[in-house]
Amino acid sequence: MLTTNLIVGFDSWFISEAEEKFEADDGYNPKIWMNANESSMDRIDAKAGSLLTHISMMVAAASFMVSSGETSLLERIIVGFEITAYLFFALVCVRCLMYRDLVKDTQAAAKGMERYSSELRREVIIRRNMINLSIRWVFLITFVFMLSVAVHLVL
């Protein structure tokens, strides 16, 4: 129960009110939307898995850099912040990969296919926003780490 409330609160940061509203147009077909949403989930899963692999390698490289005896206290603090940021975004990637039983959560049998399709669309939007934000921030953190490695090699 606590984890569910935590995830719902965390998810609310990544979806706007406008994105959450769903206006069905004349050509709305729940089956087509479900197929599109499921293929979007597959793409998000692939991106999250790749980003998680990159993060794992960067945490290993940063840990190796800190463990060498020739790093100053300032370098250790900077790399420590980088590792912490990487670990935060690793958690975001794990959230993007997390299985969620939408049928059970939405009680789709009782509320119908339209409710399930709407919840699936909402989940896709949340995951898409989380992974896009994570990719941008991980790029920035990797750039900062690259600069800190260059400074370490020069000094």
Side-chain angles (χ1 to χ4, degrees):
M1 184 70 171
L2 176 64
T3 56
T4 304
N5 291 336
L6 183 65
I7 290 169
V8 168
F10 185 71
D11 288 352
S12 66
W13 295 348
F14 293 99
I15 190 165
S16 69
E17 199 172 304
E19 287 175 320
E20 202 162 1
K21 287 183 181 177
F22 179 68
E23 301 285 334
D25 61 2
D26 295 333
Y28 175 72
N29 183 339
K31 188 171 183 177
I32 293 172
W33 273 99
M34 270 187 34
N35 290 339
N37 286 332
E38 288 173 357
S39 70
S40 294
M41 291 284 258
D42 291 341
R43 286 193 306 270
I44 291 168
D45 286 351
K47 286 181 181 182
S50 298
L51 190 60
L52 197 54
T53 301
H54 171 77
I55 289 170
S56 299
M57 290 188 297
M58 295 308 293
V59 167
S63 300
F64 181 74
M65 183 176 161
V66 168
S67 68
S68 71
E70 302 168 358
T71 55
S72 69
L73 179 61
L74 180 62
E75 287 175 321
R76 288 180 185 214
I77 290 171
I78 291 170
V79 173
F81 280 122
E82 291 169 349
I83 290 173
T84 303
Y86 277 128
L87 292 176
F88 172 76
F89 286 108
L91 287 175
V92 173
C93 288
V94 169
R95 166 60 184 94
C96 287
L97 293 170
M98 189 172 68
Y99 173 75
R100 187 165 166 218
D101 190 0
L102 289 175
V103 174
K104 180 181 164 198
D105 290 352
T106 61
Q107 302 293 320
K111 306 231 174 157
M113 184 64 106
E114 190 172 315
R115 174 77 174 149
Y116 174 76
S117 179
S118 174
E119 282 297 313
L120 183 61
R121 180 180 177 275
R122 182 180 189 278
E123 186 70 17
V124 166
I125 291 169
I126 289 170
R127 289 183 187 199
R128 183 194 66 212
N129 291 343
M130 283 194 304
I131 198 67
N132 287 339
L133 181 71
S134 296
I135 288 169
R136 288 182 181 103
W137 276 99
V138 167
F139 174 80
L140 180 66
I141 297 165
T142 302
F143 183 75
V144 170
F145 180 70
M146 182 185 72
L147 291 177
S148 64
V149 168
V151 167
H152 175 74
L153 292 174
V154 170
L155 300 177

